[in-house]
Amino acid sequence: MEMVYALCVGILTTCGIFLTLRGRTFPVVVGLTMLSYAVNLFLFASGRLSNEDAAVLQDSATGYADPLPQALVLTAIVIGFAMTAFTVILAMRARADLGNDHVDGRLPVQNEESPQKEKN
Amino acid sequence: MNLIWVPLLPLLGTLVPLFSERFGRTACAWMTAILPAAALFIVLNHAPDILSGQTHFSSLPWIPALGLELSFRLDGLGLLFSLLILGIGLLIILYARYYLSSKDSMGRFYSYLILFMTAMVGIVLSNNILQLWVFWELTSISSFLLISFWSDKQDARRGARMALTVTGAGGLCLLAGVLLIGNLVGSFDLTVVLDHAVQIRNSSLYPVILVLVLLGAFTKSAQFPFHFWLPHAMAAPTPVSAYLHSATMVKAGIFLMARFYPVLSGTDMWFLIVSLTGLATLLLGAYFALFKHDLKGLLAYSTISHLGLITLLLGMDTKLAAVAAIFHIINHATFKASLFMAAGIIDHESGSRDMRKLNGLWKYMPYTATLAMVAASAMAGVPLLNGFLSKEMFFSETLHQSSLGSLSWIVPVLATCGGVFSVAYSLRFIHDVFFNGEPIDLPRTPHEPPRYMKLPVEILVALCLLVGVIPGYVIGSLLHSASAAVLQGIVPDYSLAIWHGFNLPLTMSIVAFIGGLIIYSNRKVLFQFHAQFPESDAKEVFERGMKMLMAGCRRVYEWLENGSLQRYLLLMFGFTIILLARPMMQLSDTAGIRTTIPADGVVITGAVLLVLGAFATVIWHRKRMIALLTLSIVGLIVSVAFARFSAPDLALTQLSVEVVTIILLMLALFFLPQKTPKESSPHQVMRDLGISAMIGGVVGTLCYALMTRPHSTISDFFIANSKTGGGGTNVVNVILVDFRGFDTLGEITVLGIAALGIFKLINRMRLYMPSGDERGRPWSSDRYPMILAVVSQLLLPLALLVSVYIFLRGHNMPGGGFIAGLITSVAIIQQYVANGVEFIKNRLKLNYQWLIGSGLLIATLTGMGSWLAGEPFLTSWFDHFHLPVIGEFELASAMLFDLGVYLTVIGATLLILANLGKLTTAERPKHKEEES
């Protein structure tokens, strides 16, 4: 189980980071969202995975899931939403004011292709 | 009276001149002098005790837990220096009253000067080495302000910058040294540091500490090779040169060495570094002083030379050398300050400082000339003046030391050479200025200065004479107690007699005089010899260096900061990998010893879905709508995962946030291009993939390593006290609203601020409004489908009921303010989606900003409520009640706090989404008008 879980966190991180490295704002926002999933899962895992442990205090419970990471992640999810919202609105505002949706606020000069052609 | 007043009074005094400037120059000077005089009075009051061997302490705790306090000590060394600083400072105030012209802002000048005085007194009285450093830096800053006082002159600005750079850099070294000492000893208290001298000297860090502290001292005291700033600091008004750059500030470095003498000295490294630096500075200063045509330039280099002499004395391995050093500090301060003042008078009354023009001034100002000549003789070391006594002690100590082993004989020889030049430049100061023919092309005809301008010079010259004739009476006890403080123990026997018989030191003095006379009389030859060397202007070199440094920094900065976000992220991620590489390699085993849970079919299915969703998002990321849909799969699986691993609160939160997020992104996508153009070249894609896979691999490995290791947690405390202390069985919620309620308050505040920021960004956004999809098909005209509208209206009360239920049970069962708030928001957003903005606007008159505000207010007031019961902020309270029909129920203050959270979450979510949604409608008609 731990192996599968860690694999998922790793893949989510990979995909998230790859998308944040894109040049347009929307994929970056999507990447950030995915990265925050990965971060939340990671933080959650610091309380170790529990299979059948109780989440709420009860007399019959034998063990409890660690509540502290849960409390941390709960607020992290909400704040993460606020952050996603802020970046996406910023992206919209940037498009409105600058006329393009590139992360640098200006379109790249198309010269990356030409030197390669010269080399060839 | 309390010692704290000694620096505090001058500190208050910095304001006095600014207010008293309007009452005229003389009044301003008098009023400025009152507080420093009071401080001097306090010091004098303490003096008898200190001279009898006591040390006075006084401190004011600040952060006792960190060992930070305002702490002062007055011992012999501190007494000597504070008398010099305050005493000469008062004379300088009087002198500056006549020196400054009516064009200069006297208030500003005095203010800076007194600020410097505060800083200097602070250094010498500090009993905490960190505090000492703070005052140390303050002297650098006030010196910068004073040098650049005539800021319209380029020389002044450059000189000030150079002084600040050199002494500031030294200050940083000193800070590092001080921190190391504090770390080693475990305290910044000077008394403790002095007690741990042996431990510091035996530490492996000792060489580092020594070099850092000495760098601080050498830069401040203008020791070779950092001496170059001092001559350029002479662009300051002469009172400043007399006070800062000869009598006091440059002595701060010497003071530092004397202060740390018991701790750092006594090793070969100390003797070697300090004595060689001192010797080099002594010779260099003495040689160059002779060739300066500027009166103040001569004095500046002579100051460097004397500072080198004192440093050399501190670097010798005899105890008596330290006593001689202290003695020379006093003597140099008196004769050099008076010489600077005399030079200032000459400059002031004749309009020039060039010794090639200044000749024969004896005829015009005989009184000033007499004073200057006495002081210059003291500088040369003429018997019956104070300079002679300390110079004899110096010569005698050079004969007794053995710092350089078998080469120790070099020191007295070179010291005599220094003495020769010192006599020569003193002679030049006397002969060239006051005799040697007639003045040439002076701007003004020189005459005697005003009566009171001479008074400070008279007092200092009188001191030179008194110390020179009856040293034991005037200075004996002060010298003794200061030496005792430096040596931290028994002061060796020494004699302050004027006549020690005909011995080797006296011979050295005689040689120095004869040699000085010869050199001065043959000065033309020497000048020609010196003129062969190309004049290198330290200022130009320094400025060039600074320019190169700036250009270099700019290149690095432009390389790093080229405006491309992708590049920043790439650098950041790359750096992360570099930082992580080492610790990851040191982690020998990935798997820990904790027993793992076997994976089952459901989990694997979920994982496959999640991975597929994530990959699909990446693969189709350029088709934005599809990417969004696949992203939502990932989000859903994440919330299922939370549910699977015993975190129902998280599952609920993630689920509702997921809904809100996807609606938000869809709305945003409406205004953004539907597709991402293909821009990245293949190798760019490969590079990004490589970097992200590496980080993903590291994160996954860490996650696995973490999960397979046993953990100890503080959560046991929360679980044990949740019911009894917080009154709830849902520990997660109790942590949020009770144990860590203050954190939650911060978080909802951030949420509120983010929402308001977004509101501001949305406001007045001018967006292109597409009238159809990417293929040009117009939007559906059926804007609000009937079935959706009806069903969602029916659902609304139910959804609200659920959210209230979730809210109320939150303290004991999964739920709470965050989740309930999100559910309510989703319910209302659904109405927006199904019925449109207009429909809601007429029915739901809610101001979301108010909602956020009231939520935060309720949460904060709940926290403050505990003050009424005399408890700390956010202390919770709960009790059980019994009502006839309903049965037993619980009331808790945490509930009220949770209500605040609930309202803030609703307000923030709706403020964001409703306003974004409004954009699609409010501007649409306008857009059509524009089209038609």
Side-chain angles (χ1 to χ4, degrees), chain A residues 22 24 37 48 66 93, chain B residues 658 679 688 709 715 761:
Chain A
R22 299 301 92 211
R24 299 292 171 142
Y37 292 148
R48 309 300 184 269
D66 194 343
R93 182 75 198 230
Chain B
E658 193 54 35
E679 278 173 339
D688 293 355
R709 277 163 172 74
S715 298
L761 276 176

Side-chain angles (χ1 to χ4, degrees), chain A residues 1-2 14 20-22 24 37 48 51 53 56-57 66 68 70 75 81 93 95-96 101 104, chain B residues 565-566 596-597 624 644 646 658 671 679-680 688 706 709 711 713 715 729 747 761 763 766 812:
Chain A
M1 192 97 82
E2 275 83 359
T14 307
T20 50
L21 284 169
R22 299 301 92 211
R24 299 292 171 142
Y37 292 148
R48 309 300 184 269
N51 220 5
D53 290 338
V56 173
L57 297 185
D66 194 343
L68 188 62
Q70 295 194 20
T75 46
F81 163 69
R93 182 75 198 230
R95 168 135 202 263
D101 70 335
D104 303 339
Chain B
L565 183 73
Q566 282 167 288
T596 55
I597 312 164
R624 295 177 172 184
R644 170 69 181 75
S646 312
E658 193 54 35
F671 297 99
E679 278 173 339
S680 313
D688 293 355
L706 185 73
R709 277 163 172 74
H711 84 313
T713 167
S715 298
T729 53
E747 271 146 3
L761 276 176
N763 202 6
R766 303 195 144 271
N812 291 309

Side-chain angles (χ1 to χ4, degrees), chain A residues 54-62 64, chain B residues 729:
Chain A
V56 173
L57 297 185
Q58 48 196 266
D59 297 332
S60 59
T62 49
Y64 291 104
Chain B
T729 53

Side-chain angles (χ1 to χ4, degrees), chain B residues 120-141:
Chain B
M120 205 57 212
V121 170
I123 291 182
V124 300
L125 294 186
S126 282
N127 193 34
N128 179 307
I129 51 178
L130 264 186
Q131 177 195 327
L132 183 150
W133 178 79
V134 171
F135 283 118
W136 178 278
E137 289 301 74
L138 196 58
T139 58
S140 292
I141 293 167

